[in-house]
């Protein structure tokens, strides 16, 4: 992580586009904000956009804006888009992989020309905006799957920052937990001093699939539940493995009834989850979106699990 921060500091000194890659919850937006704050653009705006949260029919108007009277219901006087709002600052495009491929050409042109045209307007607007994009997906694989434009990838992937998952930097777990615990001590009026050695060991050995975001949630959960000045093993176990709606037997029955278990022969050396993912991909012809729907998970979760099982 120290190496990652050192690289990010070097990138902050220039205005080239940056692509931040890492799993969900690793702190990609925090890294983008830090790069902006350490750059010559720090006095300018930092505009963060979650591309996955923008409906496709609103993408162009939100990113590029629109002119007065551009369409029914439009704001009088028009509206400035995110590119103009980030003028002389930084535009952070989070979850860039979720931009529909039929809109990627317009985004590419804006990045190349450093100009945008509002919807309903006949003039172009020059924008001096640094782009920092982030993704938790393999964009190169998406290019192969014809889900992402190669020329757009090359335009975004000039400087790359990889943020490792928390399970690969276990030395960070306890310091980060202490930071969050102190934060929630102040918020909830608690005075929790720390963890017992057994609780520390449980926390270090936990597989943080949700990374730092999950660690923060666990710290908040523990601080609410703790009634003493120390977090013990029992409390940590309750926080790490809370009871869910389904019991293990109910979950097993549900799995057996799944469409993914139609007369499948599972090798004893292959986990049930891995076989489910492979079967879903076979059934959908490799279409990850449809496979994720069959599995009842979002695409980013499916991609992360595919990566962990080395499924191409």
């Amino acid at each position: 992580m120290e190496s990652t921060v050192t690289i990010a500091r070097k990138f902050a000194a220039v205005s080239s586009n940056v692509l931040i890659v890492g799993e969900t919850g690793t702190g990609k937006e925090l890294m983008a904000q830090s790069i902006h704050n350490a750059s010559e653009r720090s006095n300018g705006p930092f505009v963060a956009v979650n591309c996955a949260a923008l409906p496709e029919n609103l993408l162009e108007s939100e990113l590029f804006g629109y002119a007065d009277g551009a369409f029914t219901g439009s704001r009088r006087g028009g509206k400035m888009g995110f590119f103009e709002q980030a003028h002389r600052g930084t535009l952070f495009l989070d979850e860039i992989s979720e931009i529909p491929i039929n809109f990627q050409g317009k985004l590419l042109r804006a990045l190349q020309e450093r100009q945008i045209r509002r919807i309903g307007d006949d003039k172009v607007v020059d924008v001096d905006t640094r782009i920092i994009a982030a993704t938790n997906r393999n964009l190169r694989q998406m290019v192969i799957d014809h889900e992402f434009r190669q020329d757009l990838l090359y335009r975004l992937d000039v400087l790359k920052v990889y943020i490792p998952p928390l399970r690969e930097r276990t030395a960070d777990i306890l310091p980060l937990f202490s930071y969050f615990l102190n934060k929630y001590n102040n918020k909830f009026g608690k005075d929790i001093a720390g963890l017992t050695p057994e609780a520390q060991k449980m926390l270090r050995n936990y597989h943080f699939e949700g990374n730092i975001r999950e660690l923060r949630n666990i710290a908040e959960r523990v601080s609410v539940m703790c009634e003493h000045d120390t977090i013990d093993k029992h409390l940590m176990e309750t926080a790490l493995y809370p009871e869910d709606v389904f019991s293990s037997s109910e979950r097993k029955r549900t799995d057996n009834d799944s469409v993914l278990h139609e007369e499948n022969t599972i090798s004893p050396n292959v986990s049930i989850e891995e076989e489910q993912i492979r079967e879903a991909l076979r059934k959908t012809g490799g279409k990850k979106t449809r496979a994720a729907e069959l599995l009842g998970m979002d695409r980013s979760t499916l991609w992360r699990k595919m990566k962990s099982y080395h499924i191409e």
Side-chain angles (χ1 to χ4, degrees), residues 141 273-279 281 288 302-303 305-312:
Q141 183 61 46
E273 184 180 66
E274 179 182 354
E275 184 60 22
Q276 286 179 335
I277 292 172
R278 291 185 183 278
E279 182 62 15
L281 290 168
K288 298 179 184 64
L302 173 60
W303 182 254
K305 289 181 181 294
M306 287 175 63
K307 184 178 179 182
S308 68
Y309 291 127
H310 305 290
I311 300 173
E312 296 296 330

Side-chain angles (χ1 to χ4, degrees), residues 50-193:
N50 186 337
C51 299
L54 292 177
E56 186 172 352
N57 61 330
L58 295 180
L59 263 175
E60 186 170 4
S61 63
E62 290 297 315
L63 288 175
F64 303 147
Y66 55 80
D68 185 15
F71 48 82
T72 303
S74 61
R75 182 187 301 174
R76 178 172 294 182
K79 179 184 175 183
M80 184 183 293
F82 292 131
F83 268 86
E84 287 184 83
Q85 292 177 31
H87 183 60
R88 293 182 179 172
T90 302
L91 178 61
F92 175 55
L93 299 176
D94 196 12
E95 297 194 58
I96 189 68
S97 60
E98 305 310 304
I99 293 281
I101 195 163
N102 60 339
F103 182 77
Q104 291 174 18
K106 294 180 179 180
L107 178 59
L108 174 65
R109 182 170 181 81
L111 297 182
Q112 288 177 333
E113 305 299 330
R114 299 290 177 178
Q115 293 178 328
I116 58 97
R117 188 194 303 271
R118 292 187 183 187
I119 296 176
D121 207 343
D122 57 358
K123 62 180 181 182
V124 296
V125 178
D126 293 326
V127 286
D128 175 17
T129 304
R130 183 187 196 174
I131 303 297
I132 301 180
T135 182
N136 58 8
R137 300 182 63 188
N138 187 331
L139 295 183
R140 295 190 181 278
Q141 183 61 46
M142 290 184 68
V143 169
I144 294 172
D145 295 338
H146 305 292
E147 296 175 348
F148 203 85
R149 290 181 59 134
Q150 188 175 48
D151 45 7
L152 178 57
L153 173 60
Y154 289 150
R155 179 62 61 175
L156 295 169
D157 191 6
V158 179
L159 306 176
K160 181 178 286 183
V161 177
Y162 168 68
I163 305 179
L166 190 56
R167 60 183 173 275
E168 292 181 6
R169 34 191 278 232
T170 53
D172 291 347
I173 292 174
L174 291 178
L176 283 169
F177 185 83
S178 295
Y179 168 80
F180 289 127
L181 187 62
N182 183 60
K183 176 181 177 181
Y184 291 119
N185 269 341
N186 294 332
K187 182 177 181 178
F188 301 130
K190 297 290 186 77
D191 190 23
I192 306 170

Side-chain angles (χ1 to χ4, degrees), residues 222-239:
V222 166
S223 61
V224 170
M225 296 168 61
C226 188
E227 298 178 352
H228 306 286
D229 61 354
T230 306
I231 299 166
D232 60 18
K233 178 181 178 181
H234 175 71
L235 180 58
M236 182 58 70
E237 184 175 19
T238 303

Side-chain angles (χ1 to χ4, degrees), residues 203-272:
L203 194 64
R204 283 197 304 266
N205 292 337
Y206 183 76
H207 187 83
F208 286 95
E209 188 172 332
N211 291 293
I212 298 173
R213 184 181 293 123
E214 185 178 11
L215 177 65
R216 182 189 63 199
N217 292 344
I218 291 168
E220 182 173 3
R221 189 181 306 149
V222 166
S223 61
V224 170
M225 296 168 61
C226 188
E227 298 178 352
H228 306 286
D229 61 354
T230 306
I231 299 166
D232 60 18
K233 178 181 178 181
H234 175 71
L235 180 58
M236 182 58 70
E237 184 175 19
T238 303
L240 292 176
Y241 308 102
E243 293 182 357
D244 211 335
V245 176
F246 299 104
S247 66
S248 58
S249 59
E250 181 75 8
R251 191 179 298 112
K252 182 177 180 181
R253 184 184 64 77
T254 304
D255 285 345
N256 289 336
D257 291 342
S258 170
V259 67
L260 300 175
H261 286 77
E262 297 175 358
E263 300 180 359
N264 288 334
T265 301
I266 301 175
S267 165
N269 295 323
V270 180
S271 72
I272 293 176

